[in-house]
Amino acid sequence: DGFANENIGTSITTSSIADNNWHHYAFRFKSTGSNVVTDLFVDGEHNHRIQTGTTINYVSGALISTIGALAHAPSASSGTPVASRGWAKLSGSVDEFRYWKTFRSSKKIQRCWFDQVGGGTNTDTSNTNLGVYYKFNEGITGDTNADSTVLDYSGRISNGSWTGYDSDYSRNV
Protein backbone atom coordinates (compact mmCIF):
# COMPACT_ATOMS: atom_id res chain seq x y z
CA ASP A 1 0.00 0.00 0.00
CA GLY A 2 1.11 3.59 -0.49
CA PHE A 3 3.71 4.61 -3.05
CA ALA A 4 7.43 4.54 -3.83
CA ASN A 5 9.85 6.42 -6.07
CA GLU A 6 7.70 9.49 -6.66
CA ASN A 7 9.13 12.94 -7.27
CA ILE A 8 7.76 15.81 -5.24
CA GLY A 9 8.83 19.43 -5.13
CA THR A 10 9.10 22.32 -7.54
CA SER A 11 12.20 24.48 -8.02
CA ILE A 12 14.22 22.28 -5.68
CA THR A 13 17.80 21.85 -6.85
CA THR A 14 21.04 20.58 -5.38
CA SER A 15 22.17 24.17 -4.89
CA SER A 16 18.92 25.17 -3.13
CA ILE A 17 19.32 22.28 -0.68
CA ALA A 18 23.09 22.46 -0.19
CA ASP A 19 23.31 26.24 0.29
CA ASN A 20 24.90 26.11 3.78
CA ASN A 21 21.60 27.14 5.39
CA TRP A 22 19.20 25.11 7.52
CA HIS A 23 15.87 24.36 5.86
CA HIS A 24 12.65 22.89 7.18
CA TYR A 25 10.96 20.22 5.07
CA ALA A 26 7.48 19.07 6.05
CA PHE A 27 5.66 16.25 4.31
CA ARG A 28 2.05 15.45 4.98
CA PHE A 29 0.23 12.39 3.73
CA LYS A 30 -3.48 11.60 3.57
CA SER A 31 -5.31 8.64 2.09
CA THR A 32 -8.12 9.98 -0.04
CA GLY A 33 -10.31 7.89 -2.30
CA SER A 34 -7.99 5.25 -3.73
CA ASN A 35 -4.81 7.39 -3.63
CA VAL A 36 -2.48 9.18 -1.24
CA VAL A 37 -2.26 12.96 -1.35
CA THR A 38 1.21 14.20 -0.44
CA ASP A 39 2.16 17.81 0.23
CA LEU A 40 5.64 19.27 0.60
CA PHE A 41 6.33 22.44 2.58
CA VAL A 42 9.75 24.12 2.45
CA ASP A 43 10.55 26.60 5.21
CA GLY A 44 6.85 26.87 6.03
CA GLU A 45 5.66 27.55 2.48
CA HIS A 46 3.62 25.05 0.48
CA ASN A 47 5.80 23.88 -2.41
CA HIS A 48 4.07 21.02 -4.19
CA ARG A 49 1.24 18.45 -4.05
CA ILE A 50 0.98 15.07 -5.72
CA GLN A 51 -1.77 12.46 -5.70
CA THR A 52 -0.52 8.95 -6.36
CA GLY A 53 -0.27 5.38 -5.13
CA THR A 54 -2.90 3.42 -3.28
CA THR A 55 -4.73 4.06 -0.03
CA ILE A 56 -2.86 3.20 3.16
CA ASN A 57 -5.08 1.33 5.58
CA TYR A 58 -5.08 1.65 9.37
CA VAL A 59 -1.76 0.62 10.94
CA SER A 60 -1.77 -0.83 14.46
CA GLY A 61 0.73 -2.37 16.81
CA ALA A 62 4.43 -1.66 17.18
CA LEU A 63 6.26 -0.09 14.26
CA ILE A 64 9.90 -0.33 13.25
CA SER A 65 11.05 2.72 11.33
CA THR A 66 14.15 4.64 10.44
CA ILE A 67 14.96 8.27 9.70
CA GLY A 68 17.35 8.74 6.80
CA ALA A 69 18.12 5.05 6.15
CA LEU A 70 16.46 1.83 5.03
CA ALA A 71 14.21 -0.04 7.44
CA HIS A 72 14.51 -3.22 5.33
CA ALA A 73 15.60 -4.28 1.87
CA PRO A 74 13.72 -2.62 -0.99
CA SER A 75 11.15 -4.97 -2.54
CA ALA A 76 12.96 -4.81 -5.89
CA SER A 77 16.33 -5.65 -4.31
CA SER A 78 17.89 -8.78 -5.77
CA GLY A 79 21.59 -7.92 -5.70
CA THR A 80 24.28 -9.01 -3.30
CA PRO A 81 24.75 -8.02 -0.56
CA VAL A 82 21.15 -7.73 0.56
CA ALA A 83 20.42 -4.33 2.03
CA SER A 84 19.18 -4.33 5.62
CA ARG A 85 18.15 -1.90 8.36
CA GLY A 86 20.50 1.06 8.53
CA TRP A 87 21.77 0.85 4.94
CA ALA A 88 21.59 3.80 2.50
CA LYS A 89 22.13 6.41 5.19
CA LEU A 90 21.33 10.07 4.70
CA SER A 91 24.32 12.26 3.92
CA GLY A 92 23.28 15.46 5.64
CA SER A 93 22.20 16.92 8.94
CA VAL A 94 18.91 16.61 10.81
CA ASP A 95 18.07 18.98 13.66
CA GLU A 96 14.75 17.49 14.71
CA PHE A 97 12.04 15.12 13.50
CA ARG A 98 8.31 15.32 14.24
CA TYR A 99 5.72 12.69 13.42
CA TRP A 100 2.12 13.77 13.83
CA LYS A 101 -0.63 11.15 14.07
CA THR A 102 -3.11 13.39 12.25
CA PHE A 103 -3.19 15.44 9.06
CA ARG A 104 -1.76 18.87 10.00
CA SER A 105 -3.42 21.92 8.50
CA SER A 106 -1.36 24.22 6.30
CA LYS A 107 -1.88 26.95 8.90
CA LYS A 108 -0.37 24.80 11.68
CA ILE A 109 2.61 23.82 9.53
CA GLN A 110 3.21 27.41 8.49
CA ARG A 111 2.84 28.73 12.04
CA CYS A 112 5.08 26.19 13.80
CA TRP A 113 7.78 25.29 11.28
CA PHE A 114 10.52 27.35 12.92
CA ASP A 115 9.56 26.84 16.56
CA GLN A 116 9.81 23.98 18.98
CA VAL A 117 6.51 22.46 20.01
CA GLY A 118 5.55 21.31 23.45
CA GLY A 119 5.01 17.62 23.98
CA GLY A 120 2.08 16.25 25.87
CA THR A 121 0.87 12.92 27.06
CA ASN A 122 -2.17 10.92 26.16
CA THR A 123 -4.00 12.60 29.06
CA ASP A 124 -2.61 16.13 28.49
CA THR A 125 -4.55 17.58 25.57
CA SER A 126 -1.57 19.70 24.54
CA ASN A 127 -0.37 18.05 21.33
CA THR A 128 -1.75 14.56 21.97
CA ASN A 129 -1.49 14.02 18.21
CA LEU A 130 2.29 14.46 18.33
CA GLY A 131 3.43 10.85 18.00
CA VAL A 132 7.22 11.29 18.04
CA TYR A 133 9.41 14.37 18.51
CA TYR A 134 13.14 13.76 18.22
CA LYS A 135 15.62 16.56 18.83
CA PHE A 136 19.12 15.71 17.66
CA ASN A 137 20.86 18.81 19.05
CA GLU A 138 20.16 18.45 22.75
CA GLY A 139 23.77 18.27 23.87
CA ILE A 140 26.55 15.76 24.17
CA THR A 141 27.29 13.89 27.40
CA GLY A 142 30.47 12.15 26.19
CA ASP A 143 28.97 8.76 27.11
CA THR A 144 28.40 6.87 23.84
CA ASN A 145 25.61 4.76 25.38
CA ALA A 146 23.69 7.89 26.37
CA ASP A 147 24.51 9.94 23.26
CA SER A 148 23.46 7.16 20.86
CA THR A 149 19.94 7.29 22.32
CA VAL A 150 17.71 9.81 20.56
CA LEU A 151 15.27 11.23 23.12
CA ASP A 152 11.57 11.54 22.32
CA TYR A 153 10.16 14.88 23.50
CA SER A 154 6.55 14.09 22.54
CA GLY A 155 5.74 12.86 26.02
CA ARG A 156 5.37 9.24 24.95
CA ILE A 157 8.93 8.03 25.67
CA SER A 158 9.49 6.40 22.29
CA ASN A 159 13.23 6.95 22.41
CA GLY A 160 15.21 6.03 19.31
CA SER A 161 18.46 4.14 18.87
CA TRP A 162 21.11 5.72 16.63
CA THR A 163 22.44 2.99 14.33
CA GLY A 164 26.06 3.71 13.39
CA TYR A 165 26.53 6.40 16.06
CA ASP A 166 30.06 7.86 16.02
CA SER A 167 31.11 10.11 18.91
CA ASP A 168 33.32 12.20 16.58
CA TYR A 169 30.81 12.83 13.79
CA SER A 170 27.20 12.11 14.76
CA ARG A 171 26.26 15.03 17.04
CA ASN A 172 27.13 18.69 16.84
CA VAL A 173 25.60 21.28 19.16
Side-chain angles (χ1 to χ4, degrees):
D1 296 336
F3 61 91
N5 299 322
E6 294 290 337
N7 291 324
I8 187 168
T10 59
S11 302
I12 296 176
T13 64
T14 302
S15 60
S16 70
I17 293 173
D19 63 357
N20 290 321
N21 292 306
W22 282 97
H23 294 284
H24 178 270
Y25 297 94
F27 297 90
R28 86 180 161 186
F29 307 94
K30 184 174 187 176
S31 290
T32 178
S34 60
N35 299 115
V36 177
V37 172
T38 303
D39 291 293
L40 169 64
F41 292 78
V42 179
D43 295 336
E45 297 297 321
H46 188 265
N47 179 278
H48 193 212
R49 171 178 276 198
I50 61 171
Q51 185 169 336
T52 189
T54 59
T55 301
I56 300 172
N57 294 318
Y58 179 77
V59 177
S60 65
L63 300 176
I64 295 174
S65 62
T66 63
I67 301 171
L70 291 176
H72 60 81
S75 59
S77 176
S78 61
T80 304
V82 175
S84 62
R85 186 178 309 148
W87 283 46
K89 291 180 185 161
L90 168 74
S91 176
S93 299
V94 176
D95 184 51
E96 60 182 44
F97 173 85
R98 302 174 197 172
Y99 171 77
W100 295 88
K101 299 184 286 184
T102 59
F103 190 78
R104 300 281 287 171
S105 71
S106 296
K107 183 177 180 179
K108 286 182 179 180
I109 292 171
Q110 291 167 338
R111 185 184 322 144
C112 299
W113 75 272
F114 198 72
D115 291 327
Q116 296 182 28
V117 294
T121 62
N122 290 330
T123 57
D124 177 359
T125 58
S126 172
N127 291 328
T128 57
N129 291 318
L130 180 58
V132 173
Y133 185 16
Y134 293 139
K135 297 181 187 182
F136 296 96
N137 64 342
E138 289 299 298
I140 301 169
T141 67
D143 175 358
T144 299
N145 289 329
D147 290 341
S148 64
T149 299
V150 183
L151 300 177
D152 177 16
Y153 287 81
S154 71
R156 276 151 203 71
I157 313 174
S158 297
N159 292 340
S161 177
W162 194 315
T163 301
Y165 179 82
D166 183 308
S167 61
D168 291 329
Y169 302 106
S170 294
R171 289 190 188 260
N172 184 347
V173 294

